Amino acid sequence: MPYLSDDDKTFFRENGYLVKHDLLSEKQLHDALDVVWQNLDCDRNNPQSWIDAGPNHPRIGAEPAIRATLYESPVFPMAEELVGHGKLSSNTNPGPHFRFPTGETDWKMPTHGHLDGYYTPTNGVPKGTVGRFQVGASFYLNNVVHKGGAFTIWPGTHIQAAEYFKKHSLLTFKGGNANETFDMPDPVEITGGPGTVCFWHGQLMHTGAKNCAEEIRMALITRLTRKDNNELLFEFPEDIWANYDGIN
Amino acid sequence: MNLSFSTTACPKAELPEALEICAAAGFDKIELFRTWTESSPVHDDTSVPMVRDRLDTAGVTLTGLNIRNITGRKSDSDERNLGYNLRQVTWDMHLASALRLSSANTKGGQRTDEALEDLIEGVNTALERMEDFTLNLGNHAGNRLEGLDDFKAIMPNVNDRAKILLDTGHLLTAGEAILPFAEAFADRIGLVHLRDQKGETPVPFGEGDLPFDDLIKILTGAGYDGTLVIELEKVTWGEPAEAAATAREHIENLLAS
């Protein structure tokens, strides 16, 4: 029995993202949160200590409780339903991407996003390379509300990217900044409770919003690649879904 | 042996113009650079499928791609970090593969023991990551791979799929004798870049210090049947197409004799 309906796939195809709720069990959330809190520089029981705390990216992706959120939940099978059964590599860990409360109230919807996989001086991507992947999955371990540092996407920009890269180098955008090149639609803030997952196309413009709420935005993000991704690094076929067996 | 045009003759030409120059000079093969020339396959206004289409439309075969060097260092901070550098190099190798090549040309880093270690480990790791792919290790004046002794230190320690790119121009610049170099590694030469020079100055083929006849005899004797890249640089004695055509004819005459 598939997890995704035809309507789900159509929505992903047209918008470049798809949100599903309640994909993680209570035990998976409980175990993952225990690992998370053991690796934060703040007090789980003292919200005041969460303001501007850290780290934003604790190195816990390989912990069994964190990996379980991807591989022992419906998240990975759902991504496979988009890209094709048995087509995705399973050697990727979910990476924590936390946004701590700022303690501020001056919130605005983000105006600029980025494409992933591009070099910046601090993100570990080697200069002069671009990493590509087919599907990203951003999932929340806690409740992420409006103005709470939500994962934010620009629907449909995956189609603009696919068209653009047919005639331009992948390296064109410094830091993945395509804001001045793409016709940017209104952004969508992805909110939801624990276990909410946003699946997104690997070339969808996105960002994380400022966190003016009281909770830490506890998101895990994973970037899933096809097993033959190295052969597809530079390819932009006419049919942008040519390598998404579940959609094509 | 087959002859290939190098875009060193027209570094400012973007790919469509470089292909026109290549064809006007009578070549049906070309070698490109990942960096340094405007005909790079990662030029902002070019996608890899466009590069393939342009080559096909021009009837020109790509014979090689010069990629980034295995320096063992980060390119933005110069910190020693072989893993980072190898991710750049293997990305370039995948770029070459997407351009229908099964080899790429690279060099080393600084002239230090550390760079030698990183080069050996880097070559072996890169080739393990990509089966059925060859790296041609080129000599370059001032590089960790400059002359005969450098190659004697590295070649026994690297995968058999690491070959030698014999670059006559850089041997002349470094003051290295070309023939002993060619003789020592004749059976492991994977590619030859031909440039004639007077000292460090490029000159028309046949007017400089490059012993063409003897070099080609050594290559022929070793059974080399690969590519000779006509690598003109800083051409001051004519238009690039004209100079490249003259150089091509010079080599064709030698091969025919």
Side-chain angles (χ1 to χ4, degrees), chain A residues 119-121 124-131 164-172 174 230-231 233-236, chain B residues 34 41-50 52 68 74-76 83-85 87-88 91-92 94-96 98:
Chain A
Y119 162 82
T120 71
V125 175
K127 196 172 185 179
T129 71
V130 179
Y164 184 83
F165 288 123
K166 285 178 187 170
K167 295 186 176 175
H168 297 85
S169 167
L170 267 175
L171 294 170
T172 307
K174 304 301 178 225
N230 285 333
E231 293 161 31
L233 277 177
F234 301 94
E235 304 305 326
F236 290 90
Chain B
R34 157 71 170 77
V42 291
H43 185 282
D44 275 358
D45 295 330
T46 310
S47 68
V48 167
M50 281 171 71
R52 292 193 302 248
R68 286 176 283 190
K74 289 181 75 172
S75 55
D76 52 355
Y84 176 102
N85 174 225
R87 285 167 65 195
Q88 295 178 309
W91 194 84
D92 288 358
H94 287 298
L95 170 64

